[in-house]
Amino acid sequence: MAAFSQLYNLHINVLFNYGLKLTIDKELLKDCIHDIFVKLYTKKDELGTIDNLRSYLFISLKNKLCDELRRRMYMSDTAVEEVSISTPTDVEDDYMEEEQRKNEFSLVRRLLDQLSPRQREALTLYYIEEKKYEDICEIMNMNYQSVRNLMHRGLTKLRSLAS
């Protein structure tokens, strides 16, 4: 029972996040996740060996959600044409976009790490914290023209590193 509880805690968040890509109904999603874990526990002897538990859980959740949505559609007065269902390619696209964002963030971080600490601080204050030059002068205890020069040299170095 402790191992099953640990298994549940290990996978619940990732299954919930995956399920949100397939449906916006959080209560239905929670019920479906609960149902697949109940089935996993009650039918553990009948299931045999599961080579990849994570894949099994993802596929089970997708199938359970599809079954529940199909059952609700059958009982619903809503026309089939009015229902929009996420396709697996939507999930793949979202994953690819997230990976792209991570790669871009990593690149920006590596480029910023190559600047001097003062240049990085000035650029961070201006572009990320959206401070005005006057505020940056005060924070960094520098005059206006020095901050402008520091920003210019930092941006020039970033451009040369990025190309």
Side-chain angles (χ1 to χ4, degrees):
M1 187 56 126
F4 185 77
S5 176
Q6 187 177 11
L7 188 74
Y8 178 85
N9 291 332
L10 185 66
H11 290 91
I12 185 67
N13 290 332
V14 72
L15 284 172
F16 188 78
N17 289 334
Y18 172 72
L20 286 175
K21 304 287 184 185
L22 303 173
T23 183
I24 57 172
D25 188 344
K26 290 181 181 179
E27 293 305 313
L28 171 66
L29 178 57
K30 289 176 189 176
D31 289 343
C32 288
I33 291 172
H34 175 77
D35 290 348
I36 64 170
F37 275 102
V38 167
K39 179 182 176 189
L40 185 66
Y41 185 76
T42 58
K43 307 243 184 204
K44 61 184 174 267
D45 298 329
E46 298 171 27
L47 292 175
T49 304
I50 298 172
D51 293 328
N52 188 338
L53 180 65
R54 192 177 186 114
S55 293
Y56 174 83
L57 291 172
F58 279 115
I59 292 168
S60 296
L61 178 59
K62 186 180 94 172
N63 290 341
K64 183 68 175 167
L65 279 169
C66 287
D67 290 345
E68 285 299 315
L69 290 170
R70 201 176 298 117
R71 186 181 63 76
R72 286 183 178 190
M73 285 302 297
Y74 181 74
M75 296 167 51
S76 173
D77 292 334
T78 307
V80 173
E81 294 82 19
E82 296 175 23
V83 177
S84 67
I85 298 175
S86 297
T87 63
T89 55
D90 292 340
V91 175
E92 290 170 11
D93 291 343
D94 290 346
Y95 177 77
M96 294 301 289
E97 287 174 15
E98 181 63 27
E99 283 299 309
Q100 181 69 28
R101 278 192 295 273
K102 285 179 184 176
N103 289 337
E104 289 170 355
F105 180 78
S106 176
L107 174 64
V108 169
R109 175 61 52 204
R110 282 194 313 270
L111 291 173
L112 284 174
D113 286 343
Q114 294 182 41
L115 296 176
S116 74
R118 301 283 283 172
Q119 288 171 336
R120 187 173 39 249
E121 181 181 8
L123 290 172
T124 301
L125 288 169
Y126 186 78
Y127 288 105
I128 296 174
E129 296 183 22
E130 299 179 349
K131 301 284 186 190
K132 296 189 180 328
Y133 279 107
E134 293 78 18
D135 297 332
I136 297 170
C137 292
E138 221 174 280
I139 292 169
M140 296 183 72
N141 196 24
M142 295 173 71
N143 69 41
Y144 184 86
Q145 190 58 48
S146 296
V147 169
R148 296 286 302 217
N149 292 344
L150 189 65
M151 295 277 294
H152 177 73
R153 284 192 303 274
L155 288 172
T156 302
K157 187 171 182 179
L158 279 178
R159 284 188 193 108
S160 69
L161 291 170
S163 59

